[in-house]
C-alpha cells in the first residue's frame, strides 16, 4: 500500500508517541535471480531502481547496500544543489536534475526539504571575475537562471561577510536563485520507500564481493548473502566503484579520496543563502536546525579512510573565519569524511562498458548530490534501453580514448 | 595527518610533502604502434586499490627529492618508503587488512598507530 504523509498522519502518529509509524520499506532476503541488480544504496542507486520500476516497467530489481541506506556520500555531503555549470553537456545534465528536484517532494509525497535559497560563488581576483562572468553568460545561453552580483549586492544579501579586509577580497559573485540545499537522508529514504512499493527489493548489510562475467556477459554478483544471478548490473558505489569494476576486469579512470565536512553548534538564523568560494576553498549554509554546514577540501592522496586529514580542516576554518569573522568564536560539533571517486575531467561516468549487461554510474566526485534525481533518471534509461539517454551520452567511458572530455575542473566554480 | 619517512631526510610532517599518485607507471616506449585506447589508459587510468598501494611522494619543502612508498589506503598506514632506483617491494611482504574488496579494516583509520 502506498504510504501517505500529511499533516493528518503526523497528528495521528503524534498521539501514539510516533511509535506506530509503518516501516518505510521491507527488508527481504535476496532472491536467486534479478533482471537488474543495483550495487550501492545511495541516492543515485535507489533513484535508479525507482525510475527503472516507474518509467521502464521493470519489477524484478534489487538494490544491494553493504551498510545502511544513504550511509555513503549521500548521508555525508553538504547538500548544495545548483546547475550553473560551464559546458553544455554538464549544464543539461545538472539542469535536468534541478528540474526533478523542484517537483520531487510532491512526486514522492515525501518531504525532501528542497530549499531554493540561492547559491553564490565568490570571485576574489581578476581571473575569477572573468571566469565567473563567462560562466554566467554560458548559463544564460542554456536558459539557466544565473547572474552576476556586485560586491554591494553581496553585502546586502550576506551582511556578515567580510568583503574588504582580507587577503583575497570579495569582488563579486555569480548567483543562481533556484539553487539551494535539500535533506540528504530524505532523498535516499524517499526513493527507497517508493521503489519498494513498486516491488524493488532493498537489501541492506549485503556487500558485493565480486562481479562475475562469462564470455563478456554479466552472470551475477557474489555477495555476503550468496551468489545473485542477474541479467544486468548497475554499479553505483561512489568511492568503491573502481574496486568493484576491477573485480570484473574493468579499469576505470577513478581515484578515491576523502572529502570532509563539519557542522557547528546550532545558532539563530544568520545566513539565508549558500555561499561558496573556490579560491579560498570554503563554503557554508545554515541547516534548518541552525547549524552551520561547512564543506572542506579533499586530501591530496588516495585513501578510503572516511575521515580525512586535519590540515584540510585547518585550511577551511582559516578561510571561514577570515570571510566571516563573526564565526570566529563558534564551536564545531562534528566532523567527518566521505570517499569520493574523482574522474580526470571532474565529470561523471554514466555508461555501459565492454561487458554486456554491466553499467557504471560513478565519478561524481565532490559534487554529485545535486545530480541525484537526474543521474538516476538517465541511468535507469541507459540500463533499460542498453543505450544512453541524450542527456548522458557525453558522459561515456569512450571519452577517455577519444579525448572528448567534459572538463569541469575549475570551470564549474567550485567542485561541489 | 601522516608522518612520512623521507629516505633522504627521515621522518617529517606530511605538510612538507606533495603526493604524486601511483608509482611505477610505465610510459608506452614506442616499440610498437598502440591505439587511442591504450594511450587513453596510460594517460587517464591509475590504480586505485583499497589496501596496499605503490605511490610517489616528493619532499617539496625539504630536500625536494621524489621517492616511492607502499601505503595501505584502507588505514593510511605507511609500510615502507624507498628511493626511486630501489627495487619495488613485493606486496606479499605486507599484510592486507581488508578481507573483502570493499570491506572495512577492523581497526579504523589512524588507529593502527595506537594498536601497535
Ligand atoms: C563531505 C562531502 C561533501 C559533499 N558536498 C556536496 C555538495 O554540497 N553538493 C553536491 O552536489 N555533492 C556533494 N558531495 C558529493 C555527493 O555526496 C556524492 O557525489 C553523491 O552523494 C554520491 O551519491 P551516490 O549515491 O552515487 O553514492 P553513495 O551515497 O556514496 O552511495 C554508494 C553506496 O554504495 C555502497 N557500497 C560501496 N561498496 C559496496 C559494495 N561492495 N557492496 C554493496 N554496497 C557498496 C556504499 O556503502 C554507499 O552507501 C559531497 C561529498 C562529500 C563526501
Ligand atoms: Zn627529504
Amino acid at each position: 500500500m502506498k504510504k501517505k504523509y500529511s499533516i493528518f498522519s503526523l497528528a495521528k502518529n503524534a498521539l501514539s508517541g510516533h511509535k506506530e509509524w509503518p516501516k518505510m520499506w521491507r527488508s527481504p532476503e535476496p532472491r536467486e535471480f534479478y533482471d537488474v541488480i543495483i550495487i550501492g544504496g545511495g541516492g543515485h542507486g535507489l533513484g535508479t531502481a525507482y525510475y527503472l520500476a516507474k518509467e521502464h516497467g521493470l519489477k524484478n530489481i534489487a538494490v544491494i547496500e553493504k551498510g545502511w541506506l544513504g550511509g555513503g556520500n549521500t548521508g555525508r555531503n553538504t547538500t548544495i544543489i545548483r546547475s550553473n555549470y560551464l559546458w553544455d553537456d554538464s549544464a543539461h545534465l545538472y539542469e535536468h536534475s534541478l528540474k526533478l528536484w523542484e517537483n520531487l517532494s510532491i512526486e514522492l509525497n515525501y518531504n525532501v526539504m528542497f530549499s531554493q535559497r540561492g547559491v553564490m560563488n565568490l570571485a576574489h581576483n581578476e581571473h575569477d571575475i572573468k571566469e565567473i562572468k563567462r560562466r554566467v553568460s554560458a548559463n544564460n545561453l542554456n536558459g539557466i537562471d544565473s547572474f552576476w552580483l556586485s560586491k554591494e549586492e553581496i553585502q546586502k544579501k550576506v551582511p556578515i561577510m567580510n568583503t574588504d579586509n582580507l587577503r583575497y577580497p570579495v569582488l563579486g559573485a555569480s548567483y543562481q536563485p533556484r539553487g539551494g540545499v535539500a535533506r540528504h537522508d530524505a532523498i535516499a529514504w524517499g526513493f527507497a520507500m517508493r521503489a519498494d512499493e513498486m516491488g524493488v527489493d532493498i537489501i541492506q548489510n549485503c556487500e558485493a564481493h565480486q562481479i562475475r562475467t562469462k564470455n563478456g556477459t554479466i552472470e551475477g554478483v557474489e555477495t555476503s548473502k550468496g551468489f545473485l544471478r542477474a541479467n544486468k548490473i548497475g554499479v553505483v558505489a561512489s568511492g568503491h566503484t573502481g574496486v568493484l569494476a576491477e573485480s570484473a576486469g574493468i579499469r576505470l579512470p577513478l581515484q578515491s579520496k576523502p572529502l570532509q565536512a563539519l557542522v557547528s553548534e546550532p545558532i539563530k538564523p544568520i545566513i539565508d543563502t549558500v555561499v561558496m568560494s573556490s579560491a579560498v576553498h570554503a563554503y557554508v549554509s545554515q541547516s534548518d536546525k541552525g547549524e552551520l554546514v561547512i564543506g572542506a577540501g579533499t586530501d591530496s592522496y588516495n585513501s578510503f579512510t572516511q575521515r580525512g586529514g586535519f590540515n584540510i580542516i585547518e585550511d577551511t576554518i582559516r578561510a571561514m573565519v577570515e570571510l566571516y569573522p563573526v564565526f570566529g568564536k563558534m564551536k564545531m560539533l562534528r566532523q567527518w569524511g566521505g570517499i569520493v571517486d574523482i574522474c580526470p575531467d571532474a565529470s561523471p561516468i554514466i555508461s555501459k562498458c565492454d561487458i554486456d549487461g554491466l553499467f557504471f554510474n560513478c565519478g561524481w566526485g565532490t559534487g554529485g548530490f545535486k545530480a541525484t534525481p537526474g543521474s538516476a533518471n538517465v541511468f535507469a534509461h541507459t540500463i533499460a534501453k542498453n543505450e544512453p539517454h541524450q542527456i548522458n551520452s557525453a558522459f561515456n567511458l569512450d571519452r577517455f580514448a577519444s579525448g572528448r572530455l567534459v572538463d569541469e575542473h575549475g570551470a564549474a566554480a567550485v567542485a561541489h | 595527518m601522516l608522518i612520512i619517512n623521507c629516505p633522504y631526510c627521515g621522518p617529517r610532517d606530511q605538510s612538507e610533502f606533495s603526493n604524486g599518485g601511483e608509482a611505477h607507471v610505465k610510459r608506452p616506449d614506442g616499440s610498437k604502434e598502440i591505439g587511442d585506447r591504450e594511450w587513453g589508459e596510460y594517460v587517464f587510468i591509475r590504480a586505485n586499490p583499497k589496501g596496499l598501494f605503490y605511490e610517489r611522494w616528493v619532499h617539496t619543502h625539504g630536500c625536494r627529492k621524489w621517492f616511492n612508498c607502499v601505503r595501505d589506503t584502507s588505514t593510511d598506514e605507511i609500510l615502507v618508503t624507498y628511493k626511486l632506483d630501489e627495487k619495488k617491494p613485493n606486496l606479499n611482504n605486507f599484510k592486507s587488512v581488508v578481507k573483502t574488496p570493499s570491506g572495512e579494516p577492523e581497526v579504523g583509520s589512524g588507529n593502527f598507530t595506537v594498536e601497535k
Side-chain angles (χ1 to χ4, degrees):
Chain A
M1 203 191 65
K2 219 168 143 62
K3 288 163 217 74
K4 291 220 171 83
Y5 293 92
S6 67
I7 185 88
F8 303 109
S9 66
L10 189 62
K12 191 177 130 218
N13 280 284
L15 291 175
S16 51
H18 294 295
K19 287 186 181 130
E20 308 286 317
W21 285 103
K23 285 253 188 307
M24 288 177 73
W25 52 83
R26 303 162 296 131
S27 291
E29 281 305 304
R31 277 177 248 157
E32 267 167 34
F33 168 78
Y34 288 98
D35 292 328
V36 184
I37 295 178
I38 302 294
I39 304 177
H44 291 233
L46 293 162
T48 304
Y50 169 81
Y51 288 114
L52 275 171
K54 181 176 169 245
E55 295 187 351
H56 303 282
L58 286 161
K59 295 291 175 243
N60 187 23
I61 305 172
V63 179
I64 63 172
E65 162 56 51
K66 75 171 178 153
W68 62 95
L69 300 189
N73 295 341
T74 297
R76 294 166 186 269
N77 81 100
T78 49
T79 76
I80 298 170
I81 295 169
R82 59 188 182 87
S83 66
N84 54 351
Y85 281 67
L86 176 67
W87 301 114
D88 292 352
D89 292 324
S90 327
H92 297 158
L93 176 62
Y94 291 103
E95 179 62 17
H96 177 55
S97 191
L98 182 51
K99 289 212 173 91
L100 289 170
W101 273 112
E102 285 175 324
N103 194 41
L104 209 58
S105 291
I106 292 170
E107 174 170 346
L108 297 175
N109 178 230
Y110 191 69
N111 192 357
V112 296
M113 296 166 75
F114 181 38
S115 158
Q116 293 179 290
R117 58 183 71 175
V119 174
M120 217 183 265
N121 294 99
L122 302 181
H124 297 270
N125 54 47
E126 194 58 35
H127 176 78
D128 279 359
I129 295 178
K130 287 186 178 146
E131 193 276 316
I132 289 179
K133 285 190 169 167
R134 174 190 182 208
R135 184 166 48 78
V136 165
S137 305
N139 295 157
N140 292 338
L141 289 173
N142 273 320
I144 289 167
D145 59 321
S146 177
F147 49 88
W148 172 256
L149 290 183
S150 67
K151 185 174 84 181
E152 291 68 33
E153 288 166 308
I154 297 172
Q155 285 165 338
K156 231 184 260 159
K157 277 194 187 302
V158 188
I160 56 168
M161 193 189 297
N162 170 21
T163 50
D164 298 297
N165 180 26
L166 70 174
R167 182 166 175 196
Y168 300 106
V170 176
L171 304 174
S174 72
Y175 187 62
Q176 182 177 24
R178 283 162 65 241
V181 290
R183 176 69 207 274
H184 45 41
D185 289 325
I187 185 150
W189 297 340
F191 274 142
M193 170 174 63
R194 297 308 176 202
D196 172 86
E197 282 171 357
M198 290 183 282
V200 173
D201 282 358
I202 290 164
I203 303 158
Q204 301 181 74
N205 299 313
C206 179
E207 183 187 346
H209 291 164
Q210 181 169 18
I211 295 168
R212 275 212 336 227
T213 63
K214 199 174 174 183
N215 304 329
T217 306
I218 210 78
E219 272 197 314
V221 55
E222 294 290 356
T223 76
S224 54
K225 292 184 188 259
F227 179 66
L228 311 180
R229 277 189 312 118
N231 280 344
K232 294 180 180 179
I233 290 184
V235 188
V236 203
S238 67
H240 287 93
T241 308
V243 175
L244 286 160
E246 197 90 11
S247 81
I250 303 270
R251 294 183 76 207
L252 294 176
L254 298 173
Q255 297 281 288
S256 298
K257 293 169 195 269
L259 175 66
Q260 295 180 72
L262 56 163
V263 293
S264 73
E265 57 190 331
I267 51 170
K268 292 234 166 102
I270 190 161
I271 182 164
D272 64 359
T273 184
V274 182
V275 185
M276 317 175 70
S277 163
S278 45
V280 300
H281 212 109
Y283 42 102
V284 64
S285 67
Q286 190 171 14
S287 77
D288 294 350
K289 276 189 283 181
E291 303 154 324
L292 299 175
V293 180
I294 299 169
T298 52
D299 283 297
S300 65
Y301 49 89
N302 289 11
S303 176
F304 289 81
T305 61
Q306 291 191 112
R307 126 175 180 169
F310 184 66
N311 53 322
I312 303 285
I313 291 287
E314 274 184 312
D315 286 349
T316 293
I317 291 297
R318 204 174 292 136
M320 284 298 295
V321 172
E322 217 184 355
L323 266 180
Y324 311 96
V326 62
F327 293 160
K329 294 212 166 86
M330 288 187 65
K331 291 188 174 66
M332 293 298 139
L333 281 193
R334 296 187 301 279
Q335 165 278 342
W336 64 88
I339 304 305
V340 296
D341 46 335
I342 299 178
C343 248
D345 58 355
S347 283
I349 295 166
I350 314 173
S351 180
K352 45 186 185 175
C353 70
D354 286 345
I355 293 167
D356 268 343
L358 183 58
F359 302 83
F360 292 102
N361 183 350
C362 56
W364 290 101
T366 59
F369 180 74
K370 64 178 73 66
T372 306
S375 138
N377 184 261
V378 296
F379 191 49
H381 178 105
T382 307
I383 294 176
K385 309 257 192 261
N386 283 318
E387 283 301 331
H389 190 283
Q390 200 187 339
I391 289 177
N392 65 309
S393 59
F395 298 95
N396 56 40
L397 271 170
D398 297 337
R399 73 181 191 266
F400 302 100
S402 70
R404 195 195 174 283
L405 304 182
V406 188
D407 190 0
E408 286 289 355
H409 266 303
V414 75
H416 305 276
Chain B
M1 252 198 281
L2 311 176
I3 303 287
I4 299 173
N5 191 10
C6 170
Y8 303 94
C9 313
R12 298 292 184 89
D13 191 282
Q14 179 206 322
S15 60
E16 296 182 13
F17 298 85
S18 312
N19 184 269
E22 189 188 3
H24 306 293
V25 177
K26 262 220 181 100
R27 188 180 195 274
D29 61 6
S31 59
K32 62 175 196 297
E33 276 291 309
I34 59 168
D36 289 348
R37 214 170 143 153
E38 284 89 346
W39 266 115
E41 293 207 358
Y42 163 67
V43 174
F44 295 119
I45 300 190
R46 293 292 177 269
N48 186 31
K50 182 166 190 172
L52 304 173
F53 182 43
Y54 294 109
E55 69 180 354
R56 305 183 304 165
W57 288 89
V58 56
H59 196 178
T60 320
H61 303 289
C63 64
R64 306 187 66 184
K65 287 194 171 83
W66 285 88
F67 59 93
N68 291 332
C69 168
V70 176
R71 185 170 52 90
D72 188 332
T73 61
S74 74
T75 58
D76 285 345
E77 180 174 12
I78 292 174
L79 297 154
V80 63
T81 53
Y82 54 103
K83 296 179 183 170
L84 287 187
D85 57 0
E86 284 178 66
K87 241 183 94 198
K88 93 185 204 193
N90 189 337
L91 293 187
N92 294 330
N93 299 343
F94 311 105
K95 207 173 101 217
S96 172
V97 292
V98 280
K99 294 193 182 80
T100 55
S102 58
E104 300 299 332
E106 261 161 40
V107 282
S109 55
N111 292 340
F112 58 87
T113 44
V114 182
E115 187 78 347
K116 273 183 179 168

